[in-house]
Amino acid sequence: MIDFRSDTVTKPTASMREAMQNAVVGDDVYGDDPTINKLEAYAATLTGKDAALFVPSGTMGNQIAIMTHTKRGDEIIVGANSHIKNYEVGAAAVLSGVSYHLVPETRGMLNLDGVKQGIRGQDIHYPDTGLICIENAHGTGVVGSLEWMQAIHETAQANRIPVHLDGARVFNAAVHLNVEVKTMLKYTDSAMFCLSKGLASPIGSMLVGEKAFIERARKMRKLLGGGMRQVGVLGAPGFIALESMRRRLKDDHTNADYLAQELDKIDSFTVNGDARDINMVFVTTTLDQEKLADYLRTHDIIISASRGETMRFVCHNDIQKESIDKLIDAIHRYIKKEAHHD
Ligand code: TLP
């Protein structure tokens, strides 16, 4: 199966499976898992933060960050199109008891004036602003600039509000910006990034930040039931993801460029050229998405047809240039077949 739905679908590589088999493990709730300790130390060094915490998912990482930074009744400033707002089941309201102050994004970047207006200051009627959340790379396939991150951070610091980065794909963003992740993270107090997306580890994300923040976050992870035992079996592929798989993300971006170029040649597809910074290609199509997806599945190709007008194709470690050629060829055959039916 060639699966274009997301980079979350990546299977662990052979060396990851071998590392899982041979992982030295211990009880991580006691802090006794050497493989997790090594992964957390490496993640902290790589991101220029004091400490790191391995968490089961990106969603849990973001939610632990919100729980740790805020108190009940706070308001968090967050993008109207962000994952934290739209795709985390409203968890911040449920788990942290915070409300969302939505700010529009332009190319994935929170509007600075909107953030400034969103910090409402002191009044007996107002909730306190507990946190500003940004997302980079943004789920809409775009990467925000360092200058924008710096401007948000300066505003936040001037108001003594922490900034959390949902950096599920921060390594993709760093590749696009041609900087190190630690350069981006200078402008955030905490960040979550996923090992299980383009980095191809089967499970897990990291939360990074100051030592005291991570200590409190570790307790929040336990509260949520995310304290795991011999979890080095997941830390071992996670280390390979961080140490070596991040170096190949550029290939996914190049493949996505190729996919965008080939889809754009087909009359029934229009590529959104403004959302072409990372490993994702967003298109609109005049074709019936469900029928196309059903046809492709019979040719061992999976695409997602559930995003309304817009379709998303994602390149990753299990997609090569030949996989893209197969997809394009199958789409041509589908269009020909449909024309015969008419
Ligand atoms: N994104 C998934 C879906 O949930 C949409 C995907 O296929 O892209 N932040 C961002 C920006 C994300 O894109 C995701 C996952 C998460 C957080 C959550 O990570 P997980 O799935 O590990 O909870």
Side-chain angles (χ1 to χ4, degrees):
M1 281 291 183
I2 307 170
D3 195 339
F4 287 93
R5 285 174 301 177
S6 183
D7 44 14
T8 60
V9 303
T10 42
K11 305 281 196 305
T13 62
S15 63
M16 284 181 178
R17 288 192 187 268
E18 198 186 322
M20 291 170 87
Q21 167 116 14
N22 298 324
V24 183
V25 296
D27 190 329
D28 184 49
V29 173
Y30 290 107
D32 279 351
D33 191 303
T35 307
I36 289 293
N37 292 342
K38 179 175 147 197
L39 172 66
E40 291 181 344
Y42 182 58
T45 308
L46 196 62
T47 57
K49 296 291 185 200
D50 288 348
L53 182 71
F54 181 78
V55 291
S57 69
T59 300
M60 194 189 281
N62 281 335
Q63 293 306 322
I64 289 174
I66 296 168
M67 287 177 90
T68 309
H69 281 301
T70 63
K71 61 181 187 314
R72 294 183 77 75
D74 278 359
E75 185 171 61
I76 61 170
I77 292 181
V78 65
N81 267 319
S82 65
H83 196 278
I84 286 177
K85 163 61 179 57
N86 288 332
Y87 302 113
E88 300 194 4
V89 210
V94 178
L95 301 172
S96 299
V98 298
S99 56
Y100 303 85
H101 184 101
L102 301 185
V103 170
E105 296 122 316
T106 310
R107 290 199 89 248
M109 295 183 276
L110 279 189
N111 178 295
L112 184 60
D113 286 336
V115 171
K116 286 180 178 163
Q117 280 160 23
I119 302 170
R120 295 204 269 166
Q122 291 301 319
D123 183 293
I124 196 166
H125 302 91
Y126 298 163
D128 293 335
T129 304
L131 181 65
I132 299 172
C133 299
I134 58 174
E135 187 172 310
N136 209 7
H138 197 268
T140 49
V142 294
V143 175
S145 67
L146 279 182
E147 293 72 26
W148 161 73
M149 290 184 75
Q150 183 174 9
I152 296 284
H153 189 235
E154 277 171 9
T155 300
Q157 280 201 316
N159 292 279
R160 293 209 184 80
I161 300 168
V163 176
H164 172 69
L165 170 70
D166 175 349
R169 297 184 180 85
V170 75
F171 286 94
N172 295 83
V175 165
H176 178 75
L177 293 173
N178 202 17
V179 298
E180 296 215 38
V181 159
K182 61 162 85 151
T183 307
M184 297 176 69
L185 266 52
K186 277 198 308 204
Y187 305 119
T188 73
D189 297 275
S190 61
M192 180 285 291
F193 62 86
C194 296
L195 302 168
S196 62
K197 297 195 165 60
L199 300 179
S201 201
I203 297 171
S205 296
M206 306 299 303
L207 182 61
V208 296
E210 282 181 359
K211 192 165 172 285
F213 169 84
I214 293 297
E215 271 167 18
R216 282 182 288 124
R218 196 175 287 280
K219 191 150 181 169
M220 293 300 165
R221 183 186 67 177
K222 191 77 182 82
L223 183 152
L224 292 175
M228 295 171 285
R229 303 297 178 173
Q230 287 70 34
V231 68
V233 288
L234 299 178
F239 189 83
I240 294 174
L242 257 196
E243 212 271 324
S244 73
M245 297 302 275
R246 73 186 153 89
R247 300 175 206 275
R248 59 155 303 285
L249 288 176
K250 182 97 191 77
D251 297 349
D252 297 340
H253 294 203
T254 307
N255 279 337
D257 289 342
Y258 176 64
L259 172 59
Q261 173 202 308
E262 294 303 302
L263 283 173
D264 224 16
K265 288 183 190 159
I266 306 174
D267 284 345
S268 26
F269 286 94
T270 308
V271 172
N272 179 355
D274 197 38
R276 280 289 15 275
D277 291 346
I278 54 168
N279 57 335
M280 298 178 177
V281 181
F282 290 87
V283 299
T284 51
T285 180
T286 51
L287 301 177
D288 181 323
Q289 290 187 33
E290 300 269 332
K291 270 170 82 174
L292 174 65
D294 289 347
Y295 175 86
L296 291 177
R297 213 174 245 274
T298 62
H299 291 74
D300 296 340
I301 297 171
I302 311 181
I303 62 166
S304 63
S306 58
R307 294 193 149 227
E309 278 269 286
T310 305
M311 295 175 84
R312 180 181 80 164
F313 294 83
V314 185
C315 292
H316 50 74
N317 190 44
D318 300 335
I319 302 268
Q320 286 80 40
K321 186 166 180 284
E322 302 76 63
S323 332
I324 295 168
D325 290 332
K326 272 190 193 149
L327 168 74
I328 298 295
D329 186 53
I331 292 174
H332 278 301
R333 276 184 283 141
Y334 171 79
I335 293 172
K336 220 180 244 168
K337 180 175 88 69
E338 286 298 293
H340 274 285
H341 277 262
D342 290 343

